[in-house]
Amino acid sequence: MIYEAVKTESLPKTVYLDNNATTRIDPQVLETMLPFLSDYYGNPSSIHQLGATVGHAMAKAREQVQLLMGAEHASEVVFTSCATEATATAIMSAVEAMPDRKEIITSVVEHPATLQLCQHLERKGYKVHWIGVDNKGRLDIDAFRAALSEQVAVVSIMWANNETGTLFPVEKLAKLAKSVGAQMHVDAVQVAGKYPINVQHTDIDMMSISGHKFHAPKGVGALYLRRGTRFRPLLRGGHQERGRRAGTENAASIIGLGMASEIAYHAMAGETARQSMMRDRLEQGLLARIPSCFVTGNPQERVANTTNIAFEYIEGEALLLMLNQVGVACSSGSACTSGSLEPSHVMKAMNIPFTAAHGTLRFSLSRFTTDDDIDAVLAELPAIVARLRMLSPYWDNDANCGSSEMFAPAYA
């Protein structure tokens, strides 16, 4: 069997710094899930004891996710298969609930789950206002205000960018959206478990999270749906989730999501400080060891676990392959857009110079990242960059007039 072949093959130790793409399941989360993959297999909608036991465990998970979100009521948590489904549910619900409004506001640096759905609706006749960012990834607030009108059905903005970690002022944006009667959806995938959320004290109507970004399994997410929000379900056909999301629930994964939420909530303050220190040490060490590189995004407002560094005159794919050979896993952008030789849409939107936009690496840390992991990257990456630059036809001619100078002052 394929699984047995993989299982018996000894895998090399990996320095894993790609946690914005996915995280390992916390052992405590896995332990919590296992009984619901074996002994407690009842359908949570059933009224017999086997089903009721699962239903009670899911009710606890809903309260645990409520705690992480800072929601006022557990009933405001709707379980989904992933954040992509939660995001699609939120946006499609808003446009269906307000059919007289034919405009949408989003940003040019959103995750593809938002971008591609908005592009689809644009082709269907909706007017989409694509709000730009500056060279540090900060949203153009003036353009956002100018796009607001009573024709806007929904505003969908990410809380933190998945490539740079840059935070957007979503609480302020939600207040502006409500001033014209639009619904506000926030993609909180990259802040859940990493940054404090207290959604009940905001004007946010809907918010998406994904379990596998904070040590829960893949294939489970949640949508925050504020009480009283006009709502239309995306999936119909059953009474599950109070009629807001049809389909038999993925009970074991939901229970895992609940445990991961509780662990993240209680560990957040300490982990924010610890990961921030490791991230800063990684950044400072690489900037000191490697010429013509710079950090992208907003260094003052970002999540603690993420850094995105641009290395001029190198292809990011080559960097990734050579790092992989020495057991280091990171990313050159969003996992959902990998495979393309074009710079990411985020780097393009920030006007990162062409000589650097191709050579960006995203390092994203987690609760399981260690100081030894940081040391490994600092030991391996400078030599890899030097070797690849020796192969670059542009390095000798242009190295002394690199575009990193225009970005460097912000990170001094």
Side-chain angles (χ1 to χ4, degrees):
M1 304 219 5
I2 294 175
Y3 169 72
E4 290 298 330
V6 173
K7 182 179 177 182
T8 55
E9 181 182 341
S10 60
L11 295 175
K13 175 174 169 45
T14 298
V15 172
Y16 186 76
L17 296 175
D18 198 17
N19 290 281
N20 283 8
T22 197
T23 57
R24 61 173 287 190
I25 295 181
D26 187 293
Q28 190 175 351
V29 171
L30 180 59
E31 183 180 356
T32 302
M33 293 173 59
L34 285 175
F36 297 91
L37 292 167
S38 54
D39 296 336
Y40 302 109
Y41 52 83
N43 189 318
S45 297
S46 300
I47 63 173
H48 51 64
Q49 187 58 48
L50 198 58
T53 300
V54 179
H56 290 320
M58 282 181 49
K60 179 181 177 181
R62 203 178 302 275
E63 292 174 353
Q64 291 168 315
V65 175
Q66 173 198 359
L67 179 70
L68 183 68
M69 289 180 164
E72 185 174 4
H73 307 285
S75 62
E76 293 174 317
V77 176
V78 181
F79 292 122
T80 65
S81 65
C82 58
T84 296
E85 182 197 325
T87 295
T89 299
I91 294 173
M92 294 304 298
S93 171
V95 299
E96 286 189 24
M98 293 185 282
D100 294 335
R101 295 180 176 230
K102 298 295 184 182
E103 297 185 12
I104 299 166
I105 298 177
T106 191
S107 84
V108 296
V109 295
E110 297 296 309
H111 188 275
T114 299
L115 287 178
Q116 293 189 20
L117 178 57
C118 288
Q119 290 166 355
H120 170 75
L121 289 170
E122 196 171 39
R123 291 190 292 270
K124 294 291 186 180
Y126 282 84
K127 179 178 181 179
V128 179
H129 299 273
W130 302 97
I131 308 302
V133 297
D134 66 11
N135 66 1
K136 293 183 176 60
R138 296 172 298 199
L139 196 73
D140 186 339
I141 302 298
D142 290 337
F144 182 89
R145 284 196 181 96
L148 288 169
S149 75
E150 293 185 355
Q151 291 302 306
V152 176
V154 62
V155 174
S156 184
I157 299 287
M158 56 175 31
W159 202 322
N161 184 263
N162 50 304
E163 293 191 32
T164 65
T166 296
L167 290 162
F168 285 169
V170 294
E171 295 177 8
K172 177 181 179 180
L173 301 179
K175 190 176 293 292
L176 292 170
K178 298 314 289 182
S179 71
V180 297
Q183 290 192 12
M184 180 72 186
H185 166 255
V186 172
D187 169 357
V189 167
Q190 296 297 346
V191 299
K194 307 174 189 176
Y195 184 83
I197 301 173
N198 200 351
V199 73
Q200 66 177 299
H201 296 306
T202 72
D203 289 304
I204 295 169
D205 297 299
M206 294 175 285
M207 183 176 71
S208 304
I209 69 169
S210 179
H212 75 105
K213 306 297 187 178
F214 56 97
H215 307 293
K218 300 172 183 65
V220 65
L223 174 69
Y224 164 76
L225 177 62
R226 182 182 293 276
R227 272 191 179 182
T229 301
R230 297 171 64 184
F231 180 75
R232 303 290 184 272
L234 181 68
L235 297 182
R236 303 168 187 268
H239 63 277
Q240 295 88 355
E241 296 301 296
R242 297 173 180 246
R244 298 170 300 184
R245 197 276 186 184
T248 301
E249 299 94 340
N250 181 2
S253 291
I254 287 170
I255 291 162
L257 174 64
M259 177 55 69
S261 297
E262 182 173 331
I263 294 171
Y265 177 83
H266 291 295
M268 194 180 308
E271 279 301 308
T272 296
R274 189 183 75 91
Q275 292 178 38
S276 178
M277 290 178 62
M278 286 194 294
R279 178 205 63 197
D280 292 348
R281 186 165 74 86
L282 176 62
E283 281 183 357
Q284 293 162 12
L286 291 177
L287 294 178
R289 290 167 171 80
I290 302 173
S292 296
C293 67
F294 58 91
V295 179
T296 71
N298 183 358
Q300 281 76 44
E301 296 290 336
R302 56 177 169 166
V303 287
N305 81 314
T306 303
T307 180
N308 188 296
I309 304 178
F311 301 90
E312 296 188 90
Y313 313 103
I314 306 179
E315 288 287 344
E317 289 77 10
L319 283 171
L320 289 179
L321 289 171
M322 295 188 72
L323 281 170
N324 183 62
Q325 290 175 355
V326 296
V328 176
C330 59
S331 173
S332 62
S334 168
C336 296
T337 57
S338 62
S340 170
L341 293 178
E342 287 293 311
S344 81
H345 68 287
V346 176
M347 296 300 112
K348 288 181 177 179
M350 292 166 60
N351 289 318
I352 300 298
F354 187 78
T355 55
H358 276 278
T360 60
L361 290 181
R362 180 188 69 187
F363 300 97
S364 45
L365 288 58
S366 83
R367 190 161 66 244
F368 296 104
T369 303
T370 67
D371 283 323
D372 288 345
D373 294 332
I374 304 303
D375 290 338
V377 177
L378 293 176
E380 297 286 357
L381 188 54
I384 290 174
V385 171
R387 179 180 173 187
L388 288 173
R389 281 179 173 163
M390 290 294 292
L391 302 175
S392 170
Y394 305 106
W395 174 242
D396 290 338
N397 293 332
D398 298 335
N400 294 326
C401 56
S403 55
S404 58
E405 294 178 2
M406 66 181 285
F407 293 85
Y411 304 94

